Amino acid sequence: MSQELSENEYRNQRIQNMEQLEAAGYPAFGKAFERTARLDELHASFEEGRGVKACGRIVAMRKMGKMAFAHLNDGSAKFQLMVKKDILGDEIFAAFKLLDLGDIIGVEGEMIVTQTGEPTIRIASWTLLSKALLPLPEKWHGLQDVETRYRQRSLDLIANPDVMEVFKKRTAVMRAIRAYLDARGYYEVETPMLQQIAGGAAAKPFMAHYNALDIDVFMRIAPELYLKRLIVGGMDRVYEMNRNFRNEGLDRTHNPEFTALEIYQAYGDMRTMQELIQGMFTHLAETIFGKMEFEWMGNTIDLRTPWREVAYHDLIREHLGADWFERSLEEAVAKAEELEVFIEKGMDFKQVTHEIYDKTIEGSLIQPTFITRLPKELVPLANHCPDDPDLVDVFELIIGGKEIAPAYSELNNPLEQRKRFEEQAKGDGGKIDEEFLVALEYGMPPTGGMGIGIDRLLMLLTGSDAIRDVILFPQLKPKS
RNA sequence: GGGCCGGUAGCUCAGUCGGUAGAGCAUUUGACUUUUAAUCAAAGGGUCCCGGGUUCGAGUCCCGGCCGGCUCACCA
């Protein structure tokens, strides 16, 4: 690799330029530089005639015989520099012309407005802060190659301001979520990433080995069981926003490590969570994006509340006919075939119904929709509805045809919980989390809980069609 | 995992019927004191993803592989 690079013509030229600059008294990798302000702040506080110090990467350069214009970018904004031979003197001006696109410099000068009206720093002196040995992508197409963008995110961020903008929004959203929850008395906690039993969800975990104890451990697939143990302990409003790891395929909406927000509130239920999420999403949309309508995957999504709520069975009837639940299995299968939904042999009526829901109905729910009162078979860890033991008291929030957040009135009956774990363990041979069950036996108050896929939320808010566009370093196969 | 599409200069992309590898930007040299896709003149720059095959001759055709994108399926 380094061999290839050293043979690169561009790199060699830049090393030569670097040597000439060093010979002229400009060390290639300089010291800290104290600037007056970031470039976006300089734009905001522009005042003709004021002396300023600024720094950043040279992203454009227009050299003329006795003067030059350049644009500096420090990640916050661009700012134009005017460089004049009669101000700097022959030697310093000549050295400036040795700079390459991509070099990082610090300048001192006076703020002026050019003939074309652009705020500019007319520099009186400059210093080299860091030499760039590799050339930047082309100036108006930027870096397009998707693979290179993900593999070399630094370059992507330099070349594509839109990308920088998305990740600044990501930070802003996460900060705002924390502030929103903190202000309402929720404690942010951290629970184990390395777990001996990977519980709280049904997913294949990553494994690791812990040498000191000589045991295999799992990367967590969800923090749920630990957070509920904190509810038992009396932390009655907790949340964790952190990474989960699932050892499954990757595609446009799945990355093996992803960020989930889980929130639990004692003495609440799924209704509590319903109010919380509507309030929170509205707040994010208004304060960070200044709008309530978002373009996502070809649809316009309106986040104005209240969002539609519909019971699962009503939704099915709406799409498949008011008499759907009076039909026979054969009739249901026939309908599935008509809708081109593949049905495996041996499925019962409920499974066929859900398969049709999954393949044809869920994707059609573009505007935010809470689906409530799900069949208990679909959601094993929730309390049932007070008026119907066959249904669970939960919602699934669907936006843009995608599941964004499930919420439950959490199961707090330890005997029932044990029964369900045992059934589940029979199926996949998994272990039962006894410590969690012991905690439940001390009594967990009625609790509302919710999980939000932060990456998918960000896809929606930033109009990104791929999860890789909202994760700085998405998982890729090694190139070699 | 299946299907389709893509990988050519640092970047963005062309490349016809199989016949000497192309453009713009970038780079180098020269001119140029208000440019902003600066301009003008000239020059240099290639493991055509990798490995086989067909052919007098392969960026191009065939086979295999790698990486990526889209999509379907699987998993949940």
Side-chain angles (χ1 to χ4, degrees):
Chain A
M1 189 71 176
S2 62
Q3 191 63 26
E4 280 175 38
L5 283 175
S6 69
E7 288 164 6
N8 182 283
E9 181 203 1
Y10 292 87
R11 187 162 178 273
N12 284 338
Q13 278 165 359
R14 282 162 179 261
I15 287 173
Q16 280 175 28
N17 290 343
M18 178 179 81
E19 286 163 357
Q20 285 187 59
L21 280 162
E22 294 204 309
Y26 292 90
F29 299 97
K31 300 187 291 282
F33 183 83
E34 200 173 324
R35 60 188 165 186
T36 307
R38 284 199 323 255
L39 298 178
D40 59 342
E41 295 164 338
L42 287 186
H43 276 293
S45 65
F46 182 81
E47 185 189 335
E48 210 169 345
R50 185 155 68 99
V52 290
K53 294 173 86 171
C55 52
R57 186 186 297 278
I58 299 172
V59 293
M61 181 109 83
R62 294 173 293 281
K63 297 176 193 174
M64 280 162 280
K66 291 174 185 155
M67 72 178 301
F69 289 93
H71 271 100
L72 225 50
N73 187 337
D74 68 353
S76 74
K78 287 186 195 176
F79 213 106
Q80 182 169 257
L81 304 180
M82 179 193 275
V83 187
K84 296 184 76 181
K85 191 174 184 175
D86 57 4
I87 293 178
L88 294 181
D90 290 1
E91 281 176 23
I92 296 175
F93 183 74
F96 190 91
K97 288 180 96 172
L98 287 172
L99 289 169
D100 292 306
L101 289 180
D103 290 354
I104 296 169
I105 63 170
V107 302
E108 184 167 9
E110 185 186 338
M111 291 170 116
I112 62 160
V113 177
T114 60
Q115 282 180 2
T116 51
E118 180 165 350
T120 298
I121 300 170
R122 189 174 59 203
I123 74 171
S125 67
W126 64 276
T127 179
L128 181 55
L129 298 177
S130 188
K131 190 81 190 74
L133 299 183
L134 294 172
L136 258 30
E138 196 237 15
K139 63 187 162 198
W140 72 78
H141 294 101
L143 180 64
Q144 299 290 327
D145 184 80
V146 178
E147 191 176 347
T148 309
R149 285 189 40 226
Y150 296 144
R151 287 190 196 278
Q152 298 195 54
R153 188 66 95 177
S154 356
L155 201 53
D156 192 23
L157 289 166
I158 292 169
N160 298 321
D162 294 354
V163 173
M164 176 73 86
E165 206 41 50
V166 166
F167 288 106
K168 285 182 176 172
K169 293 289 192 216
R170 180 177 180 122
T171 298
V173 165
M174 293 182 72
R175 207 187 293 169
I177 288 171
R178 288 195 163 98
Y180 191 86
L181 293 170
D182 295 346
R184 285 158 182 77
Y186 296 85
Y187 294 105
E188 181 173 14
V189 296
E190 293 176 278
T191 63
M193 298 266 173
L194 295 178
Q195 303 182 348
Q196 289 175 39
I197 297 169
K204 293 191 193 92
F206 284 96
M207 275 176 62
H209 188 76
Y210 183 22
N211 293 339
L213 298 185
D214 192 26
I215 54 168
D216 286 329
V217 292
F218 298 100
M219 313 287 286
R220 75 172 184 200
I221 55 175
E224 172 157 353
L225 302 186
Y226 284 92
L227 293 173
K228 285 184 185 168
R229 283 161 73 173
L230 297 177
I231 294 288
V232 170
M235 283 190 162
D236 66 3
R237 293 183 180 199
V238 293
Y239 73 96
E240 179 164 10
M241 184 157 55
N242 219 322
R243 219 66 66 79
N244 291 338
F245 306 86
R246 297 191 179 174
N247 204 342
E248 289 163 0
L250 53 160
D251 61 30
R252 208 153 48 113
T253 55
H254 294 81
N255 197 61
E257 49 181 307
F258 62 98
T259 302
L261 167 64
E262 286 200 10
I263 307 171
Y264 293 87
Q265 179 165 346
Y267 310 109
D269 61 9
M270 121 350 211
R271 292 279 163 214
T272 320
M273 295 295 120
Q274 208 172 16
E275 281 168 35
L276 182 63
I277 194 171
Q278 291 187 79
M280 189 162 77
F281 279 24
T282 304
H283 174 75
L284 295 174
E286 275 172 355
T287 60
I288 297 173
F289 298 89
K291 59 179 182 181
M292 294 303 280
E293 289 187 358
F294 294 83
E295 297 297 323
W296 190 35
M297 300 205 182
N299 294 303
T300 301
I301 289 157
D302 187 347
L303 289 186
R304 269 177 285 250
T305 54
W307 299 335
R308 184 185 179 208
E309 176 181 329
V310 58
Y312 180 80
H313 283 78
D314 293 338
L315 185 66
I316 300 289
R317 286 192 198 95
E318 189 180 297
H319 282 82
L320 300 178
D323 64 337
W324 177 259
F325 291 97
E326 282 85 62
R327 294 190 200 174
S328 67
L329 176 60
E330 289 69 31
E331 287 169 319
V333 170
K335 181 69 177 176
E337 276 166 12
E338 183 192 321
L339 294 169
E340 294 179 345
V341 174
F342 176 74
I343 298 297
E344 274 178 61
K345 284 207 175 79
M347 281 185 168
D348 63 22
F349 183 85
K350 283 178 177 176
Q351 288 169 319
V352 171
T353 302
H354 192 65
E355 198 60 25
I356 295 174
Y357 163 81
D358 227 28
K359 293 291 186 299
T360 68
I361 302 179
E362 185 177 285
S364 73
L365 301 173
I366 302 306
Q367 300 310 322
T369 305
F370 292 111
I371 302 181
T372 60
R373 299 171 71 81
L374 271 68
K376 68 170 189 233
E377 292 77 11
L378 298 176
V379 190
L381 297 181
N383 260 339
H384 44 67
C385 293
D387 61 340
D388 190 338
D390 290 333
L391 302 177
V392 284
D393 192 34
V394 303
F395 71 69
E396 281 189 356
L397 173 62
I398 311 294
I399 303 180
K402 308 262 178 249
E403 201 182 312
I404 297 292
Y408 305 169
S409 297
E410 302 289 346
L411 180 62
N412 61 346
N413 177 339
L415 304 175
E416 178 67 20
Q417 180 72 76
R418 174 177 293 279
K419 213 168 26 176
R420 294 190 191 178
F421 274 170
E422 280 167 355
E423 277 165 27
Q424 201 183 339
K426 243 184 281 168
D428 57 18
K431 286 185 192 160
I432 291 173
D433 191 334
E434 292 293 343
E435 290 177 9
F436 170 66
L437 288 175
V438 166
L440 272 196
E441 295 204 357
Y442 285 102
M444 182 173 90
T447 296
M450 176 162 63
I452 301 174
I454 294 297
D455 308 285
R456 294 209 186 145
L457 170 61
L458 281 157
M459 287 171 66
L460 160 66
L461 295 174
T462 61
S464 305
D465 288 354
I467 198 167
R468 286 174 170 181
D469 292 326
V470 299
I471 292 176
L472 280 166
F473 298 99
Q475 189 67 37
L476 294 173
K477 283 196 193 181
K479 182 94 178 185
S480 69

